[in-house]
Amino acid sequence: MQKIISSLLFLAFPLLLNAQQSVPNYDEAKVPVYTLPDPLVFRDGSAVTSKKDWEKRRGEIYQIFEKEVFGVVPSWKGSVKSTVVSGKANALGGLAKRKEVRLDLVNGNRKVSVMVLIYLPQKSENAPVFLSYNFNGNHTTTTEPDVLIPDSWVSNAKAYGATENRANERGRGGALSMWPIKEIVSQGFGVATVYYGDVDPDFNDGFKDGIFRLFDSPRDSTSWGSIAAWSWGLSRVMDYIETDKEIDAKKVIVMGHSRLGKTSLWAGASDQRFAMTISNNSGCGGAAISRRKFGETVGRINDSFPHWFCDNFKKYNTREELMPVDQHELIALIAPRPVYVASAAEDLWADPKGEFLSCVYASPVYELLGEKGLPSREMPALSKPLIGTIAYHIRPGKHDVTLYDWQCYMDFAKQYFKLKR
Ligand code: GTR
């Protein structure tokens, strides 16, 4: 009898795990006790005590994130060709100059085209530029009638009126509340945005679509997923920006919301040309500490989005405590460059406290490098940003990017780049 019960339990174990996973925990009292890997201790147990040590330790941590979380980017043998396809000297009622630049990523006879929509203040020489993906097409970020509609795959999200996975006029200006471009430009910043599906359509297509088509390497458990592909795409936009005389490539701020916040963090960690990194409500696999298992968990994210991370990441479904890294080390990889993490109070799925704690636990790395980490270890009140070289805020409301969020990012950037306020 005993035997039967234990074999039934054995059979039921995976189901129990799944059931456990399918009920997200929102109760702080049920957060497991956990020990985080220390970014300032080498894998062999020795201490990281100098900038030089950190460079080495940074390499260790980066490699773990590559092989166990986001996946390794294969070597790129292709080229990027840019063509300015439209320009407008007096966009947004004269506030901005606007252009659309097509980047053709080419490898032999294979090509993927990515459209970059750029708004710059009339005097753009010293303007920092926010580089940020959009979710549904460049035309959703503006009401200007002549901005091109993407011809790549888009999701049929109701709000944007796409049908048969193709965008159309109905989506124009649909994401305006997330893209206060007039406000941003009038405060002296530029905006460069790209529809993320131009780089890789966001569905599980076996890595046959988007820029994956440009690579030949066979796949294994360490191969890159879509987040790494989107991050790689941001670096290719950066390659272009370095050639654009109207933009100061030393002042590019990589910013993203939600899955694209995870992407901006990985881009900021992978490519040190990004001067500043912003994560808006990035949650699991972004800024939130995985070991807390609060809201979205590693198991949940891998089940819902099996194409976002490398296959090795699935080893940690329900076993986050075995991860050789946690997300505070993703923030630490950006050091000593400034990074801003933002949460929303009602966005429990993204675990605001876990996002905050990543900033706290990344701070010793910034401090070792002579920068200010997060100035407090206490979670701040709503709408009271904490500003060090790591910055953090939590605002009231839902999972979203609001004008308040943008205003905080602009204030942070004005301070860092010493612009007039
Ligand atoms: C959710 C996902 C989150 C977040 C979000 C988004 O469904 O669970 O990790 O990335 O999507 O990107 O909007």
Side-chain angles (χ1 to χ4, degrees):
M1 188 63 178
Q2 177 93 41
K3 223 174 171 184
I4 299 177
I5 294 177
S6 50
S7 46
L8 280 177
L9 272 178
F10 180 74
L11 286 174
F13 189 60
L15 296 175
L16 286 175
L17 275 183
N18 268 336
Q20 215 184 28
Q21 245 176 265
S22 60
V23 184
N25 176 41
Y26 293 124
D27 180 355
E28 204 51 48
K30 292 195 181 132
V31 169
V33 176
Y34 58 87
T35 309
L36 289 176
D38 188 336
L40 293 182
V41 175
F42 284 106
R43 289 201 97 178
D44 69 4
S46 56
V48 174
T49 56
S50 64
K51 289 186 186 177
K52 212 163 158 231
D53 281 354
W54 169 249
E55 274 316 302
K56 227 168 120 204
R57 173 66 177 141
R58 187 185 186 280
E60 280 188 357
I61 297 174
Y62 187 81
Q63 269 192 15
I64 302 173
F65 271 103
E66 275 186 302
K67 293 193 173 137
E68 303 289 315
V69 183
F70 297 107
V72 180
V73 178
S75 71
W76 163 241
K77 300 200 178 65
S79 61
V80 182
K81 186 178 152 238
S82 62
T83 311
V84 178
V85 294
S86 78
K88 192 165 184 195
N90 285 302
L92 303 177
L95 262 184
K97 37 188 182 180
R98 188 192 80 207
K99 61 186 164 187
E100 287 164 291
V101 182
R102 196 185 67 237
L103 304 184
D104 293 323
L105 313 182
V106 184
N107 187 7
N109 55 9
R110 286 166 284 175
K111 181 173 93 176
V112 171
S113 298
V114 171
M115 194 67 78
V116 193
L117 168 64
I118 302 173
Y119 283 99
L120 297 172
Q122 292 297 354
K123 283 195 183 134
S124 65
E125 302 75 59
N126 296 312
V129 171
F130 288 96
L131 169 60
S132 184
Y133 278 125
N134 63 73
F135 283 87
N136 294 85
N138 292 350
H139 67 303
T140 66
T141 69
T142 176
T143 50
E144 295 204 306
D146 42 351
V147 167
L148 294 169
I149 295 176
D151 46 25
S152 40
W153 182 97
V154 294
S155 92
N156 288 335
K158 270 202 194 100
Y160 301 93
T163 49
E164 292 172 37
N165 301 113
R166 292 286 165 248
N168 58 47
E169 270 306 327
R170 285 194 291 272
R172 189 171 300 282
L176 221 53
S177 70
M178 290 170 105
W179 294 92
I181 297 178
K182 262 193 181 170
E183 190 57 42
I184 298 171
V185 170
S186 53
Q187 293 194 41
F189 295 89
V191 175
T193 186
V194 174
Y195 166 52
Y196 80 134
D198 275 2
V199 174
D200 185 41
D202 192 0
F203 64 97
N204 190 14
D205 58 11
F207 306 102
K208 300 219 161 27
D209 227 327
I211 50 119
F212 290 103
R213 291 200 292 113
L214 302 174
F215 294 83
D216 300 306
S217 342
R219 292 189 63 85
D220 64 24
S221 60
T222 67
S223 296
W224 55 336
S226 294
I227 293 179
W230 298 319
S231 301
W232 181 86
L234 290 169
S235 289
R236 302 294 69 77
V237 179
M238 189 63 178
D239 295 345
Y240 159 72
I241 287 177
E242 288 188 316
T243 68
D244 184 329
K245 297 202 170 54
E246 287 187 302
I247 304 181
D248 183 349
K250 297 258 174 317
K251 292 188 186 150
V252 177
I253 305 163
V254 64
M255 183 273 184
H257 169 57
S258 203
R259 67 198 68 185
L260 300 176
K262 309 179 209 299
T263 301
S264 67
L265 287 173
W266 187 232
S270 302
D271 190 335
Q272 308 215 20
R273 293 174 297 173
F274 294 119
M276 180 179 283
T277 303
I278 295 169
S279 147
N280 193 88
N281 307 179
S282 62
C284 181
I289 297 284
S290 300
R291 279 167 171 76
R292 281 174 46 80
K293 307 187 188 198
F294 189 101
E296 186 171 36
T297 57
V298 171
R300 285 289 291 243
I301 206 166
N302 281 328
D303 279 356
S304 314
F305 306 102
H307 58 295
W308 281 4
F309 300 90
C310 70
D311 280 348
N312 270 344
F313 195 42
K314 298 179 177 118
K315 290 192 296 197
Y316 308 108
N317 290 354
T318 76
R319 303 199 302 172
E320 289 85 342
E321 56 285 354
L322 299 183
M323 284 172 62
V325 287
D326 211 316
Q327 302 307 108
H328 60 306
E329 292 173 299
L330 177 58
I331 308 288
L333 287 175
I334 297 166
R337 291 160 298 144
V339 58
Y340 198 127
V341 172
S343 309
E346 290 172 42
D347 186 18
L348 295 182
W349 183 241
D351 186 13
K353 185 164 180 197
E355 296 183 310
F356 165 74
L357 287 174
S358 269
C359 299
V360 170
Y361 297 127
S363 292
V365 174
Y366 276 75
E367 285 152 13
L368 176 74
L369 301 179
E371 291 293 330
K372 201 165 172 195
L374 199 67
S376 165
R377 298 195 151 233
E378 294 291 316
M379 184 106 175
L382 297 184
S383 310
K384 294 271 180 244
L386 290 172
I387 307 292
T389 307
I390 304 180
Y392 175 84
H393 76 242
I394 176 164
R395 59 154 174 82
K398 294 195 174 48
H399 188 69
D400 197 2
V401 192
T402 65
L403 183 56
Y404 173 80
D405 296 316
W406 276 109
Q407 192 55 60
C408 292
Y409 306 148
M410 288 191 282
D411 289 346
F412 186 54
K414 282 177 195 171
Q415 188 180 319
Y416 180 72
F417 293 115
K418 301 192 171 57
L419 306 187
K420 269 190 252 122
R421 293 222 189 203

